[in-house]
Amino acid sequence: MDLKGKVALVTGGAKGIGRATSILLAELGSDVVVNSTSASKDTEDLVNEIASKGVRALHIAADVADFKETKAMVERVLNEFEKIDILVNNAGITRDSLLIRMKEEEFDQVIAVNLKGTFNCIQAASKAMLKAKSGSIINLSSVVGVTGNIGQANYAASKAGIIGLTKAAAREFALRGVRVNAVAPGFIETRMTDILADEMKDKLIASIPLGAFGRPEDVANLIAFLASDESAYITGQVINVDGGMVI
C-alpha cells in the first residue's frame, strides 16, 4: 500500500489504536495530523516519531464533541496541508455502568464524544473531500455496537449509531468519489483491557475463537487498507477485527 502524497487526520490519535494507525499511515507515506483533547509529552513524542518517517506531522488539540472546535481543527488542517484525503474517526470514551444505575451525564458524554464527535468530524472534513471528489473516511465502531454488552448501554448505543451513520454517509457521498467505512474492533490490547483482572481476561479470551486479544496494529492494518486505493471499490461496510468473536 502506498499513501504518498496523502494527508490523514486521525482523531484520538495519541494512544492505542489511534497511535498505531498514525504511525502506520506515516510509514506508508501519508502526512498525519494527530488529534487529542490536549497536548502532552506523549503527543510530542508521537509527532516526532511520525516526522522521523519523512512525512509532515502535526498535533491539534480539540474536543471532537464540540462542533466549533472540530470545525476550527479541520480548517487548520486545510490551511496548513491544503487538503484532507483520509479521516479516521477514532476518538472515543467509555463510562461503563449497568443501565439501571447509569447517570444521565454518563450516557450523554459517551454519545457526545463517540457518535456526535464522529458526525462533527465527517461534516467538517467531507466538504473538502466532496469538492475534490476523492477521500476515504474510516469510522471506529465496535463489536459491542453489533452485539451489545452488559454495563455498556451508552457505549453500545454510540457504536451502533456509528454504523448507521457510516451507511448513510456512504450512500450520500458515493457519487462524489468519497468512501465511508467502519471498523468494528473486538477486544484489543489497550488501556481498557490492561485494567481487567486476570480472571476476566481469561474468560474473555475463552470467548474468542482465535484465543487471544488483538493488537492495535491489527486494527491499524485494516484502517490503512481502507484508506488506500487498494480498497477503491469498498464503501458502506462494517468490518470486524475481533478474532472471530462475532461469527
Side-chain angles (χ1 to χ4, degrees):
M1 292 180 289
D2 185 357
L3 298 179
K4 290 178 182 176
K6 304 284 190 182
V7 175
L9 169 60
V10 183
T11 71
K15 297 180 180 179
I17 292 170
R19 180 183 177 87
T21 298
S22 298
I23 292 170
L24 179 56
L25 296 181
E27 289 175 347
L28 294 172
S30 178
D31 296 332
V32 179
V33 179
V34 176
N35 156 261
S36 64
T37 54
S38 61
S40 67
K41 182 65 164 56
D42 286 342
T43 58
E44 182 181 346
D45 290 344
L46 177 57
V47 166
N48 290 336
E49 183 171 356
I50 292 169
S52 74
K53 311 295 182 184
V55 301
R56 292 181 294 171
L58 176 68
H59 172 258
I60 300 178
D63 179 2
V64 297
D66 186 297
F67 186 85
K68 291 182 179 178
E69 284 192 29
T70 302
K71 184 178 179 181
M73 172 178 67
V74 169
E75 288 175 350
R76 183 177 173 191
V77 176
L78 293 174
N79 285 337
E80 298 201 24
F81 294 84
E82 298 184 346
K83 62 175 182 173
I84 297 177
D85 300 292
I86 302 160
L87 170 63
V88 181
N89 285 309
N90 172 71
I93 63 171
T94 58
R95 296 290 186 270
D96 295 351
S97 179
L98 291 175
L99 192 151
I100 198 170
R101 298 175 183 167
M102 187 174 291
K103 297 176 182 178
E104 181 182 9
E105 57 267 28
E106 291 173 333
F107 186 89
D108 290 347
Q109 288 169 356
V110 170
I111 295 297
V113 174
N114 299 4
L115 181 54
K116 187 171 183 290
T118 299
F119 163 80
N120 288 344
C121 291
I122 291 175
Q123 188 177 79
S126 63
K127 294 176 183 178
M129 291 180 169
L130 293 169
K131 186 176 181 180
K133 295 185 178 180
S134 176
S136 179
I137 298 171
I138 303 104
N139 301 323
L140 269 292
S141 181
S142 168
V143 295
V144 170
V146 178
T147 65
N149 195 33
I150 293 171
Q152 290 193 308
N154 49 3
Y155 188 75
S158 71
K159 295 300 184 178
I162 286 172
I163 291 173
L165 178 58
T166 296
K167 292 180 179 292
R171 286 185 179 274
E172 290 190 21
F173 297 166
L175 291 179
R176 299 297 295 274
V178 177
R179 298 180 297 109
V180 189
N181 291 287
V183 175
F187 287 101
I188 307 299
E189 292 176 349
T190 63
R191 289 176 300 160
M192 286 190 286
T193 55
D194 287 343
I195 63 174
L196 295 174
D198 289 341
E199 183 180 351
M200 177 59 71
K201 288 181 182 179
D202 292 341
K203 186 180 293 186
L204 292 172
I205 288 172
S207 70
I208 301 171
L210 286 182
F213 290 149
R215 301 171 302 120
E217 291 76 13
D218 295 322
V219 184
N221 288 336
L222 176 57
I223 292 172
F225 171 69
L226 292 173
S228 73
D229 293 339
E230 278 81 354
S231 63
Y233 200 57
I234 300 175
T235 195
Q237 302 305 303
V238 181
I239 305 175
N240 292 359
V241 185
D242 62 1
M245 276 183 64
V246 181
I247 293 177

